[in-house]
Amino acid sequence: MIHSGTETNLGRYLLFLADTVEPGYAKTAFGLRDWAGERCVGELALPAATVTTGLPRLSAREARSQGADALVIGVAAPGGLIPDSWVPALVEALEAGLDIVSGMHIKLAQVAPLRDAAARFGRRLVDLRTPPPNIPVASGVKRSGRRLLTVGTDCALGKKYTALALTKALRARGVDAEFRASGQTGILIAGSGMPIDAVVSDFVAGAAELLSPAAADGHLDVIEGQGSLFHPAYAGVSLGLLHGSQPDMFVVCHDPSRRHILGYPSAPLPSIEAVIAQTVALGRVTNPAIRCVGVALNTSSLDEAAAQAEIATLSARLGLPVADPMRGGEAFERLVDNCNVPDPENT
Amino acid sequence: MIHSGTETNLGRYLLFLADTVEPGYAKTAFGLRDWAGERCVGELALPAATVTTGLPRLSAREARSQGADALVIGVAAPGGLIPDSWVPALVEALEAGLDIVSGMHIKLAQVAPLRDAAARFGRRLVDLRTPPPNIPVASGVKRSGRRLLTVGTDCALGKKYTALALTKALRARGVDAEFRASGQTGILIAGSGMPIDAVVSDFVAGAAELLSPAAADGHLDVIEGQGSLFHPAYAGVSLGLLHGSQPDMFVVCHDPSRRHILGYPSAPLPSIEAVIAQTVALGRVTNPAIRCVGVALNTSSLDEAAAQAEIATLSARLGLPVADPMRGGEAFERLVDNCNVPDPENT
């Protein structure tokens, strides 16, 4: 099963929800359920949890007997630490024969009871947010093959889902498309990738170059974006990923219900137009042909009629395909079409 | 003397030039000579070196007897590694009673002969590019006090010298100004700082917030910039530093002889106007009042007449104070004046 943060095999998982009551904190669990459901045997939650993936509730021992290789920490903890209240359940999972997989910045082995239990039971502690060693400084040299990057007006509004949905739709049309994961959940789904926000900042663009290596001309890497160029904390990650990815195309991901940057009430959400303009202006540094091919709208807060109205209005305003990849339909087909037209500079 | 990469005392140094023949690789040695010359007892070079600081050539033993606490690796090695050819001289320095200070990404203790010799002789290996632990994610909350950031059209053209020269001139006028170092050489000069390009990317803006903490209203932090928003490899560092610094003012540093990004022949140098526009557009995320207060021109490739002509032409074109801080003069006085006018939004 999993070897490291950047080269994983495809294991079978028990999703740990801890004591989470806010669905927004359970992105990893939901992402695995939605995109690698066949490898999720169930979920494990502490009594205080109200969030559920809808998968069977299993003990660690039951999950192991049903073929699980590892418990995946499927939620983010406030403060990025592993609370003491989680430890007994995690130790029990190790004792039951499961490895533990984490996408947190803190390393599992820094938690002494986990380190000790893993040694005692011969299990592994896998930290997905551990970049490979010896990442080079970015060369800036244009690579062969085509690339599409999902960018966003904010964090946590659909960049990974959009990249996965586009990849699936493009492959269904026979395009040699590949999803490239830049975050821990995507890495678990894809089995490989680069935890870009855990890379030392001097090497972020270089890490993005490694993530989508030179490829055949017809090949299309669909790269999972991170953060936003307008995010007060994470914009540097977004910009390094943009430069190293050298995308020919990008799709802007947006949630029309979002009023400000998530967790930053004083930071207004940028307009989609501002994100397009900045992504083009900055992306030109490594790919002068960069262009916006559409918008992925996360309309999960709207009913179908309101969603379709929002999509139509926005598409008319921008003169670009707009769709909610999770709703699909003709709008999404048009977006996919536009991700697969030849580079205008090469026609 | 030195405790860590971010909290140093002010030691006395022997500058190690290794076998360097390209002055551009000796930025640390020149920076210390120019801004902390009273703490540099001499230089040590291998026979192949042609670069010199002009300081007395001393053996490690001579330097120690003249009061040096440490040998500072004053040059960058191609590839960022410590070549085997450097090791004997470094071991000899440890034996002579000097610590070794490095600003390279690689840790000194990863070089086994240095680790062993440091243990044997009871000396310290100090890695300036080691960020402090537990850097928080940026809050984005505006801090009290005033801040000025030097930004650039490229790397290695005067952002540190400009910040130091402005700080010195402002203090001479009685302004409560402080230089804030964001790179290894600046940290050695100032005795403290933040090695921003060695911070994990998710925390770069948070690290910049730590570097210039909340201060009295009259206080002015002059923050050393890094890279360029248009640099194919390092722009993410520049953007995180910009967002976390929340500058009220910025000075664009530029070298008129530079034709493309250093080391990236296919990446054209951005115009000063483009850097101003992007810095304002992106800097507004954390400080809507951000404004450009002038340009620092590195005219080291020009004679005095050509330099003055370039400065006058550019100042007329931009409508901003332009000066070479290393030449000083009236143009520089005007630039310093403009760094000390009240924030227009507060008047």
Side-chain angles (χ1 to χ4, degrees), chain A residues 232-233 264 266-267, chain B residues 137-143 205-206 209 243-244 246 285-287:
Chain A
Y264 294 77
S266 64
Chain B
V137 165
S139 74
V141 176
K142 186 78 177 71
R143 304 188 293 289
E209 291 186 349
H243 279 165
Q246 310 179 342
V285 166
T286 56
N287 189 343

Side-chain angles (χ1 to χ4, degrees), chain B residues 216-230:
Chain B
D217 284 346
H219 180 84
L220 173 57
D221 271 346
V222 181
I223 304 164
E224 174 195 5
Q226 292 292 331
S228 161
L229 291 174
F230 293 86

Side-chain angles (χ1 to χ4, degrees), chain A residues 14-72:
Chain A
L14 174 65
L15 305 179
F16 182 61
L17 298 169
D19 46 7
T20 305
V21 295
E22 166 53 51
Y25 285 132
K27 277 173 61 180
T28 295
F30 292 129
L32 282 167
R33 175 198 66 187
D34 291 345
W35 295 99
E38 72 288 358
R39 294 189 278 115
C40 299
V41 303
E43 70 174 34
L44 173 67
L46 301 178
T50 56
V51 168
T52 176
T53 61
L55 293 169
R57 293 223 160 188
L58 301 177
S59 71
R61 201 164 297 278
E62 289 167 337
R64 182 74 188 111
S65 72
Q66 293 182 31
D69 305 296
L71 175 150
V72 173

Side-chain angles (χ1 to χ4, degrees), chain A residues 105 138 197 199 201-202 264 278, chain B residues 105 138-139 199 201-202 264 278:
Chain A
H105 275 296
D197 65 9
V199 173
S201 62
D202 244 6
Y264 294 77
Q278 275 298 352
Chain B
H105 275 296
S139 74
V199 173
S201 61
D202 244 7
Y264 294 77
Q278 275 298 354

Side-chain angles (χ1 to χ4, degrees), chain B residues 195-313:
Chain B
I196 200 85
D197 64 10
V199 173
V200 164
S201 61
D202 244 7
F203 304 100
V204 169
E209 291 186 349
L210 290 184
L211 175 60
S212 70
D217 284 346
H219 180 84
L220 173 57
D221 271 346
V222 181
I223 304 164
E224 174 195 5
Q226 292 292 331
S228 161
L229 291 174
F230 293 86
H231 195 288
Y234 305 131
V237 181
S238 308
L239 183 52
L241 179 58
L242 172 62
H243 279 165
S245 296
Q246 310 179 342
D248 307 285
M249 301 174 274
F250 65 93
V251 170
V252 180
C253 302
H254 177 65
D255 178 345
S257 73
R258 198 72 63 88
R259 291 287 164 257
H260 55 75
I261 298 285
L262 193 64
Y264 294 77
S266 64
L269 211 72
S271 69
I272 295 171
E273 286 89 340
V275 171
I276 293 173
Q278 275 298 354
T279 304
V280 169
L282 294 166
R284 276 185 180 144
V285 166
T286 56
N287 189 343
I290 186 172
R291 67 192 198 279
C292 180
V293 291
V295 173
L297 213 58
N298 178 339
T299 61
S300 54
S301 64
L302 304 177
D303 65 25
E304 179 70 20
Q308 295 307 337
E310 183 79 25
I311 285 168
T313 304

Side-chain angles (χ1 to χ4, degrees), chain B residues 24 26-36 74 148-152 154-168 179-190 192 222-227 241 251-254 296 298 325-326 332:
Chain B
K27 277 174 60 180
T28 295
F30 291 130
L32 281 167
R33 177 199 64 188
D34 291 345
W35 294 99
L148 183 152
L149 176 68
T150 56
V151 305
D154 193 1
C155 293
L157 43 62
K159 289 185 286 289
K160 176 174 66 259
Y161 275 50
T162 298
L164 285 159
L166 287 173
T167 306
K168 188 175 171 184
F179 170 71
R180 296 294 191 180
S182 62
Q184 58 275 15
T185 306
I187 291 170
L188 277 172
I189 293 167
S192 67
V222 181
I223 304 164
E224 174 195 5
Q226 292 292 331
L241 179 58
V251 170
V252 180
C253 302
H254 177 65
N298 178 339
M326 295 301 100
F332 183 59

Side-chain angles (χ1 to χ4, degrees), chain B residues 21-221:
Chain B
V21 296
E22 167 55 51
Y25 285 132
K27 277 174 60 180
T28 295
F30 291 130
L32 281 167
R33 177 199 64 188
D34 291 345
W35 294 99
E38 73 287 358
R39 294 189 278 116
C40 299
V41 303
E43 69 174 34
L44 174 66
L46 301 177
T50 56
V51 168
T52 177
T53 60
L55 294 169
R57 292 224 161 188
L58 302 177
S59 69
R61 199 163 299 277
E62 290 166 339
R64 181 76 188 110
S65 73
Q66 293 182 30
D69 306 295
L71 175 150
V72 172
I73 296 179
V75 293
L81 298 174
I82 292 182
D84 289 345
S85 60
W86 296 13
V87 170
L90 298 177
V91 168
E92 194 176 314
L94 292 166
E95 186 168 10
L98 299 177
D99 294 336
I100 298 180
V101 176
S102 160
M104 304 170 78
H105 275 296
I106 188 183
K107 303 301 172 223
L108 287 165
Q110 290 180 249
V111 182
L114 298 184
R115 187 184 57 228
D116 297 346
R120 192 158 66 247
F121 301 116
R123 304 314 314 169
R124 278 180 298 187
L125 303 176
V126 178
D127 294 298
L128 296 171
R129 257 198 181 128
T130 301
N134 305 321
I135 296 172
V137 165
S139 74
V141 176
K142 186 78 177 71
R143 304 188 293 289
S144 56
R146 297 181 297 160
R147 284 166 194 82
L148 183 152
L149 176 68
T150 56
V151 305
T153 53
D154 193 1
C155 293
L157 43 62
K159 289 185 286 289
K160 176 174 66 259
Y161 275 50
T162 298
L164 285 159
L166 287 173
T167 306
K168 188 175 171 184
L170 288 161
R171 290 175 71 97
R173 295 179 180 200
V175 177
D176 176 22
E178 187 162 5
F179 170 71
R180 296 294 191 180
S182 62
Q184 58 275 15
T185 306
I187 291 170
L188 277 172
I189 293 167
S192 67
M194 177 67 73
I196 200 85
D197 64 10
V199 173
V200 164
S201 61
D202 244 7
F203 304 100
V204 169
E209 291 186 349
L210 290 184
L211 175 60
S212 70
D217 284 346
H219 180 84
L220 173 57
D221 271 346

